[in-house]
Amino acid sequence: MAINYRWLYETVRSRFESDEAMEIFLPKALTSGELKQKGDDRYLSAMSQRVFQAGMQHSVVDARWPAFEEAF
C-alpha cells in the first residue's frame, strides 16, 4: 500500500492556521542523551500503549493507562 504523503500533509495542514501552528502542535523529538536516560520499561510501556490504541479509542486507553501499567 503506497502512502500519498503530499495528501496526508495537506490534510493535516488544513486543520491549522499556519505552518508554525502545526509545528507547535507536533511533539518534540528527544535528544539521544534524553533517550538513553529512559529505562527499557518506558519503551515497552509506550509500545504496548500503541498496540492497545490500535484496537480501542485512544482517549479510553490514555485515561486508563496508569491502571494498565500497575496491572502489568
Side-chain angles (χ1 to χ4, degrees):
M1 177 175 129
I3 297 175
N4 183 338
Y5 288 103
R6 189 74 184 141
W7 171 86
L8 180 60
Y9 173 84
E10 290 170 358
T11 300
V12 172
R13 173 58 183 85
S14 71
R15 297 176 183 184
F16 295 90
E17 293 180 13
S18 65
D19 288 340
E20 292 78 20
M22 183 176 69
E23 289 294 326
I24 290 169
F25 180 78
L26 296 172
K28 302 296 179 221
L30 298 177
T31 66
S32 62
E34 290 170 325
L35 290 170
K36 288 177 184 175
Q37 290 178 355
K38 294 214 175 268
D40 290 343
D41 66 313
R42 297 295 82 215
Y43 288 102
L44 180 59
S45 176
M47 288 187 292
S48 300
Q49 186 175 14
R50 299 315 179 265
V51 169
F52 278 97
Q53 287 175 335
M56 301 174 76
Q57 269 189 325
H58 291 204
S59 59
V60 172
V61 175
D62 292 344
R64 298 190 173 133
W65 194 249
F68 276 106
E69 283 196 323
E70 188 177 325
F72 290 136

